[in-house]
Amino acid sequence: MRHRIYDSKYHFLTFFDDQTGAYLRTGILEDRKDTGVDPFMASFPHLIDVGIMGHCAHGKSGLCAKAGIGCYQSGRTVEAPNMALEDFAEIVRQCAGKVNQFALGGRGDPDMHEHFGEILALCREHHIVPNFTTSGFGLTEEHAALCARYCGAVAVSWYRSSYTLDAIQMLLAAGVRTNIHYVLGRNSIDEALDRLEHNTFPAGINAVVFLLHKPVGQGSRENVLDPDDPRLARFFALLDHNTLPYKLGLDSCTIPGVVNHCANLELAALDTCEGARFSCYISADLVMLPCSFDQERRYGVSLRDHSIQEAWDSPQFDAFRAPLRAACPTCPQREVCMGGCPLKPEIVLCRRSQRTT
């Protein structure tokens, strides 16, 4: 099914295909004509990261740490209830007809939620496509069948273990569009380069999506990539000339690196930080944030007291948007990059003289 939504407040159209995941956004429309000027934000989020997991079922086993990944939500140390099914149903009710996709997440694997199947079904009943990321450690064939029935795509975190490969094969066998999520930091970029240059990621996957390491939660500052790291030029060159049998993707935090290193990628097809512009995060205890990496909840709004629309229109969300509106005013790529991450400026892969963040 193809979804078409007109944003009457900011005057643009979006198109979303729930079978392929294809998403298209027009520029601002005047007299029904596309001006070519990108809208800065939407009047309601198009994608919501819903943190249904309040705790990690595998936290004490230290899966993240063993894989060289610092859990940004501190899943090993936080024990909080998972999101209640009735709370999730209320989120779905408020989003129906407005939101294209939910990215299910939180402090653990969403497939470990006690109401996992019901959550997926609720999404589809209201024409919202659910996607999620899992370590794959506890994934079962029953879970894989549910994913095939309801999900747009499932990502398996690259935890460098047998259960990682087993989960990928289980999902592929069930007919699920399967991605790998790879956290890119100082400790992992060499492996990424080797696997891309020698094509050693598992066959049959849809894409490898690289997520920039952030110093949040158990993520260390020491593992943050430096913009001057010479390995980055090699990495972005591989993305710029992809000849692999699967797609290569990046999170929006990496866009400043694309701007500075890639000559062949179509920048108009990319989007920088979408937090509080086109996406947001809702925690298991119903606090809405522009981005899940705001673990200090500086910009949080409780959905116990406010609607999703009210949170979206709140002073807290406007404060998050402010640096994205104003950063790096003299940079010729300002509209593509917007200065990068408003939360953690140290991760921004840029040394341009025009940078102000």
Side-chain angles (χ1 to χ4, degrees), residues 311-326:
W312 189 253
D313 295 333
S314 68
Q316 294 94 315
F317 272 57
D318 276 341
F320 185 92
R321 296 175 187 122
L324 293 168
R325 291 183 186 276

Side-chain angles (χ1 to χ4, degrees), residues 33-101:
K33 294 181 180 179
D34 193 327
T35 63
V37 178
D38 286 341
F40 174 76
M41 62 178 289
S43 58
F44 196 88
H46 293 171
L47 182 150
I48 299 183
D49 187 352
V50 186
I52 62 174
M53 300 301 291
H55 61 275
C56 180
H58 318 307
K60 290 183 172 61
S61 66
L63 295 185
C64 291
K66 291 174 183 176
I69 297 168
C71 176
Y72 77 94
Q73 296 223 28
S74 301
R76 291 182 66 187
T77 59
V78 178
E79 288 286 342
N82 294 334
M83 182 179 286
L85 184 60
E86 54 268 29
D87 288 338
F88 185 82
E90 174 57 22
I91 292 170
V92 170
R93 185 194 67 78
Q94 292 187 44
C95 293
K98 301 177 182 179
V99 173
N100 297 318
Q101 302 181 72

Side-chain angles (χ1 to χ4, degrees), residues 12-337:
F12 67 95
L13 277 165
T14 58
F15 304 87
F16 176 71
D17 189 320
D18 64 10
Q19 297 301 310
T20 66
Y23 171 81
L24 174 67
R25 189 164 66 228
T26 69
I28 296 171
L29 303 176
E30 290 182 0
D31 298 324
R32 299 185 179 182
K33 294 181 180 179
D34 193 327
T35 63
V37 178
D38 286 341
F40 174 76
M41 62 178 289
S43 58
F44 196 88
H46 293 171
L47 182 150
I48 299 183
D49 187 352
V50 186
I52 62 174
M53 300 301 291
H55 61 275
C56 180
H58 318 307
K60 290 183 172 61
S61 66
L63 295 185
C64 291
K66 291 174 183 176
I69 297 168
C71 176
Y72 77 94
Q73 296 223 28
S74 301
R76 291 182 66 187
T77 59
V78 178
E79 288 286 342
N82 294 334
M83 182 179 286
L85 184 60
E86 54 268 29
D87 288 338
F88 185 82
E90 174 57 22
I91 292 170
V92 170
R93 185 194 67 78
Q94 292 187 44
C95 293
K98 301 177 182 179
V99 173
N100 297 318
Q101 302 181 72
F102 279 174
L104 305 177
R107 291 194 184 95
D109 291 339
D111 45 297
M112 295 293 102
H113 194 284
E114 55 271 27
H115 297 292
F116 178 62
E118 294 163 277
I119 283 171
L120 297 184
L122 265 172
C123 291
R124 282 296 189 172
E125 285 171 16
H126 292 81
H127 306 293
I128 297 169
V129 177
N131 306 292
F132 71 96
T133 306
T134 178
S135 72
F137 186 76
L139 192 75
T140 66
E141 290 185 359
E142 180 183 357
H143 291 148
L146 286 169
C147 295
R149 181 176 180 182
Y150 294 115
C151 293
V154 175
V156 179
S157 297
W158 189 247
Y159 277 14
R160 305 166 178 85
S161 298
S162 58
Y163 59 80
T164 304
L165 300 177
D166 290 345
I168 291 169
Q169 294 307 315
M170 190 184 303
L171 291 166
L172 289 173
V176 178
R177 184 181 288 111
T178 306
N179 298 331
I180 289 172
H181 276 184
Y182 189 109
V183 177
L184 194 69
R186 286 187 180 182
N187 68 340
S188 64
I189 190 169
D190 285 331
E191 181 197 355
L193 289 168
D194 182 74
R195 288 190 175 277
L196 293 175
E197 288 171 348
H198 296 96
N199 188 20
T200 59
F201 282 112
I205 59 171
N206 175 63
V208 179
V209 181
F210 292 95
L211 314 174
L212 198 61
H213 169 85
K214 291 91 173 172
V216 178
Q218 293 166 340
S220 70
R221 284 183 176 270
E222 291 72 25
N223 199 28
V224 173
L225 280 164
D226 189 284
D228 296 324
D229 191 320
R231 296 173 295 180
L232 283 171
R234 283 175 60 200
F235 172 77
F236 283 109
L238 290 166
L239 269 67
D240 213 15
H241 303 88
N242 182 24
T243 59
L244 294 164
Y246 44 81
K247 301 172 187 175
L248 297 176
L250 298 163
D251 64 359
S252 59
C253 312
T254 321
I255 296 304
V258 175
V259 169
N260 288 317
H261 290 281
C262 295
N264 296 314
L265 296 183
E266 178 53 65
L267 296 182
L270 304 174
D271 208 348
T272 189
C273 176
E274 294 190 340
R277 299 196 308 123
F278 298 99
S279 68
C280 65
Y281 175 75
I282 299 175
S283 65
D285 58 350
L286 297 189
V287 175
M288 184 162 140
L289 302 157
C291 172
S292 62
F293 290 101
D294 180 15
Q295 289 295 297
E296 297 172 351
R297 299 187 171 188
R298 285 181 287 166
Y299 302 97
V301 180
S302 173
L303 297 184
R304 301 287 184 199
D305 306 314
H306 301 277
S307 67
I308 293 174
Q309 186 68 70
E310 288 169 342
W312 189 253
D313 295 333
S314 68
Q316 294 94 315
F317 272 57
D318 276 341
F320 185 92
R321 296 175 187 122
L324 293 168
R325 291 183 186 276
C328 313
T330 63
C331 180
Q333 298 290 3
R334 203 221 88 79
E335 294 304 319
V336 179
C337 172

